[in-house]
Amino acid sequence: MTAPRLSAGTLARAAPGVRRPQYDRTKLRPRIVHLGLGAFFRAHGALYTDDVLGARGGDWGIIGVSLRHPDQRDRLAPQDGLYTTLQQSPAGIEARVVGSLLGVLVASEDPAAVVARLASPQTALVSLTVTEKGYCHQPATGRLDADHPDIRHDLAHPEAPRSAIGFLVAGLARRRADGVPPFTVLCCDNLPRNGALLAGLVQDFAACRDGGLAEWIAGHVAFPATMVDRIVPATTPADIAAAAQATGLHDAAPVVHEPFAQWVIGETFGPLGRPAWDVAGAQFVADVAPFEHAKLRLLNAAHSALAWLGLLAGHASVAQAIADPDLDRFTASLWREITAVLPPPPGMVLGDYTAALRTRFANPAIHHRLAQIAMDSSQKLPQRLLSTIGERLRQDLPIPCLALAVAGWIGHLGGADETGRPIALSDPLADALRRAAAGGAPREIVGRVLALAAVFAPALAGDARFVGAVTGAFERLRRDGVHAAARAAAG
């Protein structure tokens, strides 16, 4: 017998023990617009908001925006925005139905509706999880990519944008013209100094439209920095089946997550306020940077290194890769290289943090696919690894594990693992990366890849110590394989 579809009308039929919204959803208003309604936000920011509503009430409802595709809307609309979260740990599964999401807009279908929602006086806050590539910037410089096709389109069609940047500026321009106070812009992607970076991109784009608009944004719009942390693998058909078994209701859009969650947020918000996310465990701090650095350079760097090397070794998930003794030992050595030049955030012991990370990575209930982590790697490499490499080189410290991580990235661009099985490359620079990694001796391949200025700053690409370390690691990787190269790097 087929389980009934999750919706407001069937929620009361959920299995006993399934947590459900503890507030009146009819009182919610569209106070938050979230650009990039993927699994991560629904397992993180929307869940924090749901907790606040349950504890304090209020009207902080969320309108999600899918920038490209209607799939998320088509799954969630028949469910009245309701969806299931599955917290997975070795102890089992905990199911919960989340009610903070009111609806979903599809920007590619009706950009005017998205701009109107952003311009509405009800909208107090706009948050984003559009992934690194969604900011249409040059990762090596942090500046707006004026030649990006979406940016060129949005400057030519300001009322029908495609990019997140274009939508933010269109909404803010309308509010300025209408005399409506601006919304706060809350970037929740893994970018260094994400609030300041996004502010700069928005102002650069606005300046191309109207210098006065750019000045107004600079003087009136708040862009708090954030650090977000929770492992959220892509949803699979098995997860949909698990949600139905746990709840007794069919959910076409469940999300899976680990027990751990962290959200560190800068204190500066605009005049329209924010939810009391601190009630749900978020930390509001004067300076997010130390927390951001620790997360980007320890969790995200290790995830990326394990993804590239693990894929080459034939592994499929983080848990499988960290269970490989050579990659486990390599990861521990990589963390030692990083922590030697990383000031700890207030109240954090870095050794305890990395020990907790290893436990999280090894969670067998979370199938976090290496291929998912490896996507868009050209956008992730600079902040996850290259910044630390630059700091170690400035202190004249060796970089054996960091260099092997970069070599692993170059190796995975070749499109096959050590047994010849294909490795898919999903990256906005895919064509250039494939050309650079195709054919020739290891030294030639490394030279072509490091010459990609969109990824590697010229000063680093021209540093003989960096070039030599990466070339040596790549040669060893090609000659001896992942396991021997990992043992050599770990020492």
Side-chain angles (χ1 to χ4, degrees), residues 152-342:
R152 293 202 306 269
H153 171 275
D154 292 356
L155 288 172
H157 307 279
E159 292 303 313
R162 292 175 181 169
S163 72
I165 304 295
F167 275 109
L168 290 173
V169 173
L172 289 168
R174 183 86 61 84
R175 293 174 83 105
R176 177 181 179 238
D178 294 345
V180 176
F183 47 72
T184 294
V185 182
L186 194 70
C187 176
C188 298
D189 279 301
N190 290 316
L191 295 163
R193 301 175 61 251
N194 58 9
L197 184 143
L198 180 53
L201 298 175
V202 167
Q203 289 161 24
D204 285 349
F205 182 92
C208 295
R209 283 187 48 175
D210 176 353
L213 174 61
E215 291 181 9
W216 181 82
I217 291 173
H220 294 86
V221 183
F223 292 81
T226 69
M227 186 279 281
V228 297
D229 190 2
R230 169 163 267 180
I231 295 173
V232 182
T235 301
T236 67
D239 298 325
I240 294 174
Q245 183 175 7
T247 66
L249 300 172
H250 172 66
D251 182 351
V255 291
V256 173
H257 62 80
E258 65 171 335
F260 180 89
Q262 187 178 19
W263 199 2
V264 183
I265 309 172
E267 295 173 337
T268 303
F269 276 70
L272 302 179
R274 62 166 176 82
W277 284 316
D278 43 322
V279 171
Q283 300 169 257
F284 286 88
V285 300
D287 186 9
V288 174
F291 298 91
E292 167 205 291
H293 290 162
K295 196 255 181 170
L296 279 171
R297 299 187 183 193
L298 293 172
L299 187 153
N300 296 121
H303 258 171
S304 288
L306 283 171
W308 304 323
L309 294 170
L311 286 171
L312 289 172
H315 299 304
S317 70
V318 173
Q320 290 174 0
I322 203 69
D324 183 320
D326 290 327
L327 292 180
D328 185 14
R329 186 163 170 257
F330 162 80
T331 303
S333 296
L334 175 69
W335 279 331
R336 284 193 291 272
E337 283 186 23
I338 297 167
T339 56
V341 294
L342 179 66

Side-chain angles (χ1 to χ4, degrees), residues 1-7 10-11 13-14 79 244 247-251:
M1 180 177 177
T2 303
R5 183 74 174 264
L6 171 64
S7 69
T10 63
L11 181 58
R13 297 163 63 182
Q79 301 180 179
T247 66
L249 300 172
H250 172 66
D251 182 351

Side-chain angles (χ1 to χ4, degrees), residues 109-123:
E109 292 181 353
D110 193 350
V114 177
V115 174
R117 176 51 58 195
L118 293 171
S120 168
Q122 284 191 312
T123 300

